[in-house]
Amino acid sequence: MTEFTLWDILRNLLLATRWTIVLSLVSFVGGGLVGLLLLFLRISAHKAVRIFARCYIELFQGTPLLMQLFIAFFGLGLLGVDVPAWLAAGLALILWTAAFLAEIWRGCVEAIAKGQWEASASLGMGRLQQMRYVILPQAMKIAVPPTVGFSVQVVKGTALTSIIGFVELSKAGTVVTNATFQPFTVYGLVALIYFALCWPLSRSSQMLERKLNVAHRNH
Amino acid sequence: MSLIEITEVRKSFGSTEVLKGINLDVQPGEVIAIIGKSGSGKSTLLRCINGLEMISGGSISVAGAQLLDDQLHLKTLRLKVGMIFQQFNLFPHLTVGGNVILSQTVVKKTAKPAAEAMARRMLDRVGLGHKFDAYPDELSGGQQQRVAIARALAMEPIALLCDEITSALDPELVAEVLAVVRELAAEGMTLLMVTHEMKFARDVCSRVVFMHQGRVHEIGPPDAVFSNPQTPELKQFLGVH
Ligand SMILES: Nc1ncnc2c1ncn2[C@@H]1O[C@H](COP(=O)(O)OP(=O)(O)O)[C@@H](O)[C@H]1O
Ligand SMILES: [Mg+2]
């Protein structure tokens, strides 16, 4: 029987961590773009559009990410669409991230004083112009800390994709455990790697928030 | 022909009727002071004139531009009437210059250099040319309100709506803002202003409108309204018996 050194284990886990990072980035960037679109729909002047966006958000926020992954993977499979695990994982995470980011950002947009909308409207700006030049630049500033904070949830969310067979950090942990029979060591390392990924994100979110509060007080 | 025509305007919020049939015609160059108790509908009337509120009945037109509930008509109307708010509402993320430039380039598609030149002229006009690169939070309330006036003027409106524009200011800053308004009036700008500055209204305005419970209760030249109020409500408002 082959002996596995700690380094062997760690190396295999780190190789798989690449996929956790890639999937996190794809989900976050893709989710951000879809989320921005969703934000515009959510605060649209048309009621039907607003309701659609709200339903979308509540559906994705109100069901477990795991179910969304299953549906993306098996559901589309049933329809005869052959979905590889990476695609189902990416798709589900993007849509899930979008729902949460849209809702976080809506809160930030609504935190902007009503007078900003009125002043820009009375200068003749249309709704998109108001958003683009007046509201979003201000909302984006306050959106940074909660957005960075949510990225932690995305990283942790990628762990679930191991269940549909996407080989990222968690899945690699299972594979390596099966080969080494050292579950405690392996999963301990897995947890440490997740922590190393998430901790800087949550720290910077806290720091950004503190910085923002100080900036506010100086106004 | 009147510049601003307000005809039988009604406005309800839910089941409460706030404006109950307002008629008011404003001639070019007139300066109208709107006075009245809090809640009498003064702000609502101003906000209806540039479409920040939609009216429930009647009609409003400014220099031929009708108030209608679609983006195109609203934009046409808002290019004719500017509005200044009690809370200034400057854009905090832009410099003073940026505040005055933005809507010119975005709404009127004015080229940047021309918009900047216009911004400098308007800021000079309100005495703040030297603050071009400052941010709003570096200015006093009075200076912020003057920037707001410059920002509205840069769009070259033919009338300005002013809603209690000195009410949020420390007393010592009121004069500098009123001086700017006085100058605008002297240059022939058409002004509709809700104000509590009775002395200013008496000095500068061509007519005074007293609103009470959503109606124009009394209207006339300042001398008549202030020195010879007809209704008990206006007498009580002015504190004369
Ligand atoms: N957006 C709104 N929704 C409901 N009621 C409103 C709204 N705006 C104003 N009102 C009501 O309309 C009345 C007139 O308000 P307003 O025009 O602000 O009076 P004024 O400016 O003379 O103090 C008040 O009773 C106020 O509560
Ligand atoms: Mg008011």
Side-chain angles (χ1 to χ4, degrees):
Chain A
M1 198 179 142
T2 12
E3 273 299 307
F4 290 92
T5 62
L6 192 63
W7 169 242
D8 287 327
I9 296 174
L10 187 61
R11 204 189 50 199
N12 278 296
L13 293 179
L14 284 176
L15 285 174
T17 304
R18 289 178 311 175
W19 294 109
T20 291
I21 293 174
V22 169
L23 186 59
S24 300
L25 283 176
V26 167
S27 309
F28 195 67
V29 173
L33 292 175
V34 178
L36 193 63
L37 175 71
L38 214 51
L39 168 69
F40 275 90
L41 301 182
R42 184 69 182 81
I43 58 179
S44 152
H46 301 281
K47 195 165 175 199
V49 176
R50 278 203 307 271
I51 290 177
F52 165 80
R54 211 178 119 193
C55 289
Y56 175 100
I57 289 168
E58 290 194 351
L59 198 67
F60 277 84
Q61 287 194 334
T63 54
L65 174 57
L66 189 58
M67 297 306 128
Q68 296 164 25
L69 283 163
F70 281 159
I71 290 171
F73 189 58
F74 300 115
L76 290 178
L78 280 182
L79 294 178
V81 190
D82 192 18
V83 200
W86 63 266
L87 184 59
L91 193 67
L93 271 169
I94 285 175
L95 297 181
W96 175 81
T97 305
F100 280 87
L101 286 182
E103 198 60 8
I104 290 172
W105 293 344
R106 183 182 65 90
C108 298
V109 165
E110 283 176 0
I112 303 303
K114 209 165 134 251
Q116 296 289 306
W117 286 99
E118 298 189 338
S120 48
S122 69
L123 288 164
M125 287 186 215
R127 225 177 137 75
L128 284 179
Q129 295 173 332
Q130 292 178 285
M131 278 297 274
R132 161 113 167 64
Y133 298 104
V134 178
I135 305 299
L136 282 186
Q138 297 180 60
M140 257 153 57
K141 233 198 223 152
I142 51 176
V144 170
T147 304
V148 174
F150 183 72
S151 67
V152 173
Q153 303 304 320
V154 177
V155 175
K156 292 196 279 191
T158 60
L160 287 176
T161 63
S162 61
I163 292 170
I164 58 170
F166 182 73
V167 183
E168 37 64 71
L169 181 53
S170 300
K171 181 76 180 171
T174 313
V175 172
V176 174
T177 301
N178 288 341
T180 61
F181 304 110
Q182 298 180 40
F184 185 76
T185 313
V186 174
Y187 285 119
L189 286 173
V190 168
L192 278 179
I193 296 175
Y194 274 117
F195 186 74
L197 290 176
C198 293
W199 190 71
L201 290 173
S202 52
R203 275 298 291 170
S204 47
S205 165
Q206 286 161 9
M207 263 154 52
L208 286 165
E209 188 164 350
R210 212 167 311 137
K211 216 166 100 189
L212 197 75
N213 286 340
V214 173
H216 260 272
R217 232 180 302 132
N218 288 348
H219 271 220
Chain B
M1 206 187 84
S2 307
L3 186 68
I4 302 178
E5 295 178 356
I6 302 169
T7 314
E8 280 303 317
V9 163
R10 292 176 176 276
K11 170 69 187 174
S12 304
F13 291 108
S15 58
T16 25
E17 194 167 50
V18 172
L19 299 179
K20 301 170 180 163
I22 303 276
N23 288 292
L24 180 63
D25 284 351
V26 181
Q27 306 306 315
E30 263 199 302
V31 178
I32 308 270
I34 303 173
I35 60 173
K37 276 198 307 204
S38 168
S40 55
K42 308 180 297 292
S43 296
T44 305
L45 176 60
L46 281 201
R47 293 161 59 82
C48 285
I49 296 176
N50 76 345
L52 284 182
E53 305 286 356
M54 274 301 141
I55 54 182
S56 326
S59 69
I60 293 179
S61 77
V62 179
Q66 282 278 338
L67 169 64
L68 291 170
D69 191 5
D70 65 85
Q71 285 294 325
L72 194 67
H73 280 95
L74 278 179
K75 185 175 158 184
T76 313
L77 180 70
R78 287 168 177 166
L79 283 174
K80 300 190 187 229
V81 271
M83 182 153 187
I84 325 281
F85 302 85
Q86 184 175 343
Q87 296 298 338
F88 329 137
N89 296 343
L90 293 183
F91 306 136
H93 58 299
L94 299 177
T95 60
V96 164
N99 265 272
V100 187
I101 289 171
L102 180 65
S103 56
Q104 298 182 64
T105 53
V106 166
V107 179
K108 283 187 158 180
K109 315 287 181 209
T110 310
K112 190 82 192 279
E116 186 178 329
M118 168 69 94
R120 289 193 187 278
R121 277 203 306 282
M122 293 306 129
L123 285 169
D124 280 338
R125 196 163 160 192
V126 299
L128 289 172
H130 59 293
K131 294 290 186 189
F132 193 88
D133 293 314
Y135 279 88
D137 64 0
E138 299 166 332
L139 305 184
S140 73
Q143 291 173 326
Q144 290 190 48
Q145 194 59 293
R146 282 147 66 197
V147 173
I149 295 174
R151 181 174 71 176
L153 289 177
M155 297 300 281
E156 302 178 291
I158 47 185
L160 273 188
L161 311 171
C162 306
D163 192 359
E164 299 197 32
I165 61 172
T166 56
S167 296
L169 296 177
D170 293 334
E172 70 272 18
L173 301 177
V174 169
E176 63 186 67
V177 172
L178 289 183
V180 170
V181 178
R182 189 184 291 262
E183 214 162 288
L184 289 178
E187 289 164 12
M189 173 66 81
T190 308
L191 293 166
L192 259 81
M193 48 191 308
V194 174
T195 185
H196 295 302
E197 302 289 334
M198 296 305 164
K199 184 173 168 341
F200 182 83
R202 191 185 267 263
D203 287 355
V204 176
C205 294
S206 30
R207 277 191 296 164
V208 176
V209 172
F210 171 62
M211 284 190 62
H212 183 69
Q213 294 181 352
R215 292 196 171 83
V216 174
H217 208 68
E218 265 189 62
I219 182 167
D223 273 342
V225 169
F226 289 123
S227 311
N228 192 16
Q230 301 296 308
T231 58
E233 290 80 11
L234 179 53
K235 280 179 189 159
Q236 193 197 11
F237 179 76
L238 295 173
V240 294
H241 299 286

